[in-house]
Amino acid sequence: MFIPHMIPYASPTYFIILFIALAPLVLSLLFRGKRINWYQSLITLFFLYISFGGSDYRQGLALIGYVIFQSVLVWSYQRYRKKTNQAGVFYGAVFLSIVPLIFVKVTPFMNGQNSILGFLGISYLTFKSVQIIMEMRDGMIKEYSPLNYIKFLLFFPTISSGPIDRYRRFEKDLNEPPMKEKYVDLLGSAVHDIFLGFLYKFIIGYYFGQVLLPIVDRHALQHGGLSWSLVGYMYVYSMYLFFDFAGYSLFAVGTSKLMGYETPPNFNKPFLSWNIKEFWNRWHMTLSFWFRDYIYMRLMFTLIKKKTFKSRIVASNVGYFALFLLMGVWHGLTWYYIVYGIYHATLICLTDAWLRFKKKHKQQLPSNKFTKAFAIFLTFNAVCLSFLIFSGFLDKLWFHNIFFMK
């Protein structure tokens, strides 16, 4: 029977196939407390095929080539590191691991076409590859299994858009399936996540994205420039972005739990954050924590160790701008992604300054439920403005005003 290409978690048919395929694995974990490893490998290949095969076979070929390249690179670095721990080799390995992603990101900017090396989820697989090289360098990963590494890369519930797991945590779940009692709790949590994902993505997200967003888009273009329609677009797009992505993440986490893996969550009520730093501890958490641990903290260690700046505050602010500029460029080489990164770096630096001022004048400043509610309100609006920038709609509005408005 011909199985068409399917985007993960995008259609009822995908979920029907998913639940049927996972049933033997669920029953084995539930009644035997064991995972059927050969069957998990089989359904992994099957779901990779329906996600990257068929009419999208070029993505599938790119994925195969990518996994081979990264596997050889990580294996070679691990072998070499047993003999020596030269910094140049480490930096070279990290650079090589991100080269495919650089090509994928730069190619559309250079010639307007997508790279033949690209496939859905290449960024998240690259984060996994860089992570394991860095943790090998730090001595956090002492034992390494090439087969487990490939399973880590190709874990199909999260391959296309995360959440971004950590190798050591994943390998622990891989080697130690949950006991039957614990799996019962995981199963209940999985059902909750999946049903909440349906509510988020296919009901609330659908309403904001498919019903309201075209309406406010049209009205904003008709009015042009600053208008209440543009404000409406800002809020509607922000709601759509959250519920759509949070819904997808819930599906990925819930599916992982059905398979006996405790993939970390990606969102934790981000719109209830009382400042922008708290927001990044709640929004796309696995991505923000990855950038924090593997980019920001290492950059700060280098700047402080080499005494590049006399002030730790200056070093911290430089680190924030470097971090969010990199995050903006990762999203794409367009002005609005870069401005989005600069905007968030500026907000975090201002937040740090405010927190220092608040600590110094703690006795003079009020702190109660009303001030906290006001802080949440300000943070929510600041975040929504950033999503308006991120959406690219301002670029679309500018183009429309030039060519269609008199």
Side-chain angles (χ1 to χ4, degrees):
M1 182 180 68
F2 174 72
I3 305 281
H5 166 72
M6 295 182 185
I7 299 174
Y9 313 117
S11 68
T13 305
Y14 184 89
F15 283 96
I16 292 171
I17 296 173
L18 177 67
F19 294 145
I20 292 174
L22 290 181
L25 205 59
V26 171
L27 293 173
S28 178
L29 285 166
L30 188 60
F31 294 107
R32 298 174 59 225
K34 296 181 180 180
R35 186 181 291 120
I36 312 173
N37 291 322
W38 67 266
Y39 183 73
Q40 178 176 311
S41 299
L42 183 64
I43 62 172
T44 294
L45 292 175
F46 173 75
F47 280 100
L48 291 177
Y49 169 73
I50 66 174
S51 299
F52 298 98
S55 60
D56 244 356
Y57 72 94
R58 290 184 180 84
Q59 284 201 43
L61 293 176
L63 173 63
I64 293 171
Y66 178 90
V67 170
I68 293 173
F69 170 76
Q70 295 288 2
S71 298
V72 171
L73 175 64
V74 170
W75 179 82
S76 300
Y77 177 72
Q78 190 261 352
R79 296 274 294 183
Y80 188 86
R81 191 185 174 282
K82 287 183 176 180
K83 301 176 182 178
T84 182
N85 195 23
Q86 293 182 5
V89 176
F90 164 70
Y91 291 121
V94 170
F95 175 74
L96 287 175
S97 70
I98 64 174
V99 163
L101 180 60
I102 293 173
F103 273 111
V104 170
K105 294 293 184 181
V106 171
T107 299
F109 181 76
M110 299 296 291
N111 60 22
Q113 296 180 348
N114 291 329
S115 171
I116 60 173
L117 300 178
F119 58 88
L120 185 65
I122 186 173
S123 294
Y124 297 97
L125 266 65
T126 300
F127 293 146
K128 290 181 176 182
S129 299
V130 172
Q131 169 205 144
I132 196 171
I133 291 172
M134 287 185 171
E135 292 194 350
M136 283 179 173
R137 165 70 186 277
D138 295 343
M140 299 170 71
I141 296 178
K142 302 183 184 300
E143 299 296 328
Y144 158 75
S145 165
L147 181 59
N148 286 352
Y149 171 68
I150 293 174
K151 291 179 179 179
F152 173 60
L153 283 184
L154 296 179
F155 188 58
F156 78 86
T158 63
I159 191 171
S160 57
S161 295
I164 307 166
D165 206 349
R166 304 295 173 97
Y167 176 77
R168 287 176 295 151
R169 199 220 60 77
F170 175 86
E171 189 175 47
K172 183 176 182 297
D173 282 358
L174 177 67
N175 294 331
E176 301 174 13
M179 300 296 289
K180 287 189 286 185
E181 295 79 9
K182 183 178 181 181
Y183 183 67
V184 170
D185 294 334
L186 270 183
L187 198 58
S189 179
V191 172
H192 172 270
D193 289 343
I194 291 170
F195 273 91
L196 188 60
F198 277 116
L199 173 64
Y200 276 19
K201 186 173 179 65
F202 294 121
I203 299 178
I204 303 177
Y206 176 86
Y207 182 73
F208 277 108
Q210 304 301 318
V211 179
L212 292 182
L213 196 60
I215 296 173
V216 293
D217 183 298
R218 184 173 63 254
H219 280 274
L221 291 177
Q222 288 174 352
H223 288 87
L226 296 176
S227 65
W228 286 113
S229 298
L230 183 61
V231 175
Y233 183 94
M234 178 181 78
Y235 289 123
V236 170
Y237 177 80
S238 298
M239 294 299 101
Y240 162 69
L241 185 65
F242 167 68
F243 284 107
D244 184 76
F245 194 16
Y248 171 91
S249 296
L250 284 166
F251 290 143
V253 171
T255 303
S256 301
K257 290 176 180 177
L258 290 177
M259 299 173 65
Y261 296 84
E262 296 185 73
T263 295
N266 231 2
F267 295 90
N268 180 24
K269 302 176 182 177
F271 291 142
L272 295 181
S273 305
W274 50 90
N275 63 49
I276 203 68
K277 294 185 76 172
E278 182 65 19
F279 170 80
W280 281 106
N281 286 328
R282 293 165 171 258
W283 175 274
H284 204 345
M285 295 185 293
T286 58
L287 177 69
S288 60
F289 294 164
W290 190 96
F291 272 97
R292 179 198 66 191
D293 295 344
Y294 297 104
I295 304 296
Y296 177 78
M297 296 303 295
R298 291 167 187 272
L299 177 60
M300 285 298 297
F301 176 79
T302 301
L303 293 176
I304 292 172
K305 182 180 179 181
K306 294 187 176 182
K307 299 181 180 179
T308 307
F309 301 101
K310 293 181 179 179
S311 170
R312 283 177 174 257
I313 294 174
V314 173
S316 177
N317 291 344
V318 169
Y320 285 136
F321 273 93
L323 173 68
F324 280 95
L325 273 174
L326 181 61
M327 190 180 291
V329 170
W330 167 69
H331 280 102
L333 294 173
T334 55
W335 70 266
Y336 44 86
Y337 289 139
I338 295 172
V339 170
Y340 170 80
I342 294 173
Y343 175 84
H344 270 282
T346 303
L347 287 183
I348 286 190
C349 292
L350 291 174
T351 298
D352 268 355
W354 165 250
L355 292 175
R356 290 193 299 271
F357 177 84
K358 187 177 178 181
K359 184 178 180 180
K360 187 176 180 181
H361 300 83
K362 189 175 182 180
Q363 301 300 325
Q364 291 81 18
L365 294 173
S367 180
N368 51 53
K369 62 181 180 180
F370 297 107
T371 58
K372 184 175 181 179
F374 184 61
I376 292 172
F377 173 78
L378 289 179
T379 303
F380 171 71
N381 283 278
V383 166
C384 288
L385 179 58
S386 77
F387 288 153
L388 175 63
I389 298 169
F390 178 86
S391 70
F393 184 75
L394 295 177
D395 194 54
K396 178 181 176 181
L397 184 62
W398 175 82
F399 180 85
H400 183 271
N401 287 343
I402 289 178
F403 291 98
F404 298 101
M405 299 287 286
K406 294 184 179 179

